[in-house]
Amino acid sequence: MFIALVLAQAVIFNHIALYSAGLAFLFIYFIIKLPLNLSAAKVIFLSFLIGFVIDIFQDTPGVNALACTCLGGARRTIVRLYVPREEDLAHAVPSIRTLGPGLFARYAATMTFIYCILLFSIEAFTFFHPAIMAMRIVASTLLTSLLIMATDCLSLPSRSEKRL
């Protein structure tokens, strides 16, 4: 999935923009779909790795790597917002099939929103145009969340997906 998402991002989604404001960041689906029983160190490393590879393709010096690393670090906390029972987190892979459509949509939208805030804040390194920045964050969050939901609906269930 790592290679497919990186290639899709580099070839297709880097060239998609919603009214020059909303950008598609489908590659964060990789971070969203990491198994919940994976250690925090592995999640952070894999998040950094995908951000670093995307930075190479987009020629952005560390912006995606930093945003993805922060997102990977916050992932467990975000999951706990929506799945409070620890035993429910044991062996699940987040998806529409395991969490249900509503819960997965909220989880994916929250992860996407946090990523967009991080990315555009790091990229701009200033809040000089807060209205434009807010428009980019909201438009990118909506576009990416819709793409993640569509991708998850089209993906085949893995053997490790267990209904919560």
Side-chain angles (χ1 to χ4, degrees):
M1 183 167 55
F2 183 94
I3 294 169
L5 287 172
V6 167
L7 287 175
Q9 185 68 39
V11 175
I12 299 168
F13 296 108
N14 280 349
H15 306 289
I16 294 176
L18 183 65
Y19 298 111
S20 300
L23 304 172
F25 302 113
L26 188 64
F27 68 93
I28 65 169
Y29 181 63
F30 176 77
I31 300 169
I32 290 170
K33 288 287 285 188
L34 287 173
L36 297 176
N37 61 346
L38 211 57
S39 71
K42 287 180 183 176
V43 170
I44 290 171
F45 174 73
L46 290 170
S47 299
F48 168 78
L49 188 62
I50 196 161
F52 180 72
V53 172
I54 294 296
D55 279 334
I56 290 170
F57 283 109
Q58 290 183 347
D59 197 27
T60 52
V63 174
N64 286 296
L66 178 58
C68 286
T69 304
C70 293
L71 185 65
R75 179 177 165 266
R76 186 73 169 182
T77 304
I78 295 166
V79 168
R80 285 192 178 142
L81 288 173
Y82 299 112
V83 185
R85 295 185 339 192
E86 192 68 31
E87 61 271 6
D88 288 343
L89 301 176
H91 299 288
V93 173
S95 70
I96 289 175
R97 291 168 195 82
T98 59
L99 298 176
L103 196 60
F104 182 75
R106 288 190 305 243
Y107 165 64
T110 303
M111 292 282 285
T112 304
F113 183 66
I114 290 171
Y115 175 79
C116 290
I117 289 172
L118 289 168
L119 180 77
F120 292 124
S121 298
I122 295 165
E123 184 181 72
F125 207 65
T126 180
F127 295 108
F128 188 73
H129 299 289
I132 294 171
M133 189 170 158
M135 180 183 66
R136 290 182 76 194
I137 289 170
V138 170
S140 296
T141 299
L142 291 173
L143 179 61
T144 304
S145 295
L146 287 172
L147 286 171
I148 286 172
M149 292 299 292
T151 303
D152 200 62
C153 285
L154 296 175
S155 68
L156 298 172
S158 68
R159 284 183 266 153
S160 60
E161 286 186 5
K162 181 184 100 181
R163 177 88 180 150
L164 295 180

